[in-house]
Structures are given as structure tokens and as C-alpha cells.
């Protein structure tokens, strides 16, 4: 199959407009018969946005979002800010009463 990804089956010929495209993604789009354009080129081709579909990636995929919350609490899947993940490093907030709270 000449698609971008085997999971999705055959990729149709698409014209992609993006701020940044990796070389691997660009080669797969071009291989499927599509093209990659800039926003300036899109503004010239479709000034009013006719026949365009706007897609946006997930905002919560940033690595910083993994740290939001309180690590150490029961049933919490939050990534703590520690130097390394060994036995003695997660010993401050949430681990002792003398450091704000004890979970």
C-alpha cells in the first residue's frame, strides 16, 4: 500500500498546510501524491478558507502536563520533579508532616 501508515490503510492525496513538518512526514505525504504548503501559500490559494479543514493537536500532550497535580497522593499518576528515581529522593512534600502535608 502507498499509504502514510499501515494502520490507516490507503492515504488519499492530501494538501497539508503546517507551521512545521518533519522530513519523514513530508516524504510520506509526497509519496502518497500529496503536497506540503505554508500558510502564506494557503492564503493565496484559499483567501476565505474554502474547502479547508482545520485540525489541532492535543494541548495536553506537553511534557509539563505530566507534572500537574500532587505526586504521592493515593491513586495519583503525576510525575514528580525529582533528580532521579531512586529510593531516597521523593522524601519532601506529601511524604512528611513537617513538609506541608502527609498523604
Amino acid at each position: 500500500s502507498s499509504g502514510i501508515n499501515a494502520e490507516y490503510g490507503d492515504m488519499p492525496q492530501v494538501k497539508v498546510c503546517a507551521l512545521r513538518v518533519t522530513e519523514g512526514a513530508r516524504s510520506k505525504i509526497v509519496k502518497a501524491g500529496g503536497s506540503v504548503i505554508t500558510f502564506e501559500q494557503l492564503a493565496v490559494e484559499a483567501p476565505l478558507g474554502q474547502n479547508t479543514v482545520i485540525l489541532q493537536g492535543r494541548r495536553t500532550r506537553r511534557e509539563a502536563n505530566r507534572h500537574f497535580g500532587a505526586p504521592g497522593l493515593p491513586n495519583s499518576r503525576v510525575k514528580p520533579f525529582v533528580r532521579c528515581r531512586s529510593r531516597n529522593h521523593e522524601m519532601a512534600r506529601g511524604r512528611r508532616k513537617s513538609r506541608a502535608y502527609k498523604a
Side-chain angles (χ1 to χ4, degrees):
S1 96
S2 64
I4 285 188
N5 196 337
E7 295 175 17
Y8 302 120
D10 289 335
M11 178 70 188
Q13 180 176 343
V14 293
K15 186 180 292 184
V16 177
C17 173
L19 289 174
R20 175 175 66 208
V21 179
T22 62
E23 285 302 317
R26 183 185 304 273
S27 67
K28 291 175 184 177
I29 292 168
V30 172
K31 181 180 170 187
S35 62
V36 179
I37 63 173
T38 63
F39 278 95
E40 288 79 15
Q41 292 167 324
L42 177 66
V44 171
E45 291 181 19
L48 301 178
Q50 308 95 328
N51 299 322
T52 59
V53 177
I54 299 175
L55 299 176
Q56 181 175 357
R58 285 174 53 189
R59 294 181 184 190
T60 58
R61 294 305 296 164
R62 291 191 319 145
E63 204 277 334
N65 286 12
R66 293 174 178 264
H67 298 282
F68 294 166
L73 289 179
N75 300 320
S76 173
R77 300 274 186 261
V78 178
K79 185 176 182 180
F81 288 107
V82 291
R83 285 173 291 161
C84 61
R85 296 184 58 176
S86 65
R87 183 175 57 87
N88 283 333
H89 282 91
E90 298 178 26
M91 295 292 289
R93 285 175 52 92
R95 296 295 184 179
R96 296 195 301 275
K97 278 275 194 195
S98 59
R99 301 290 184 266
Y101 67 97
K102 173 92 168 74

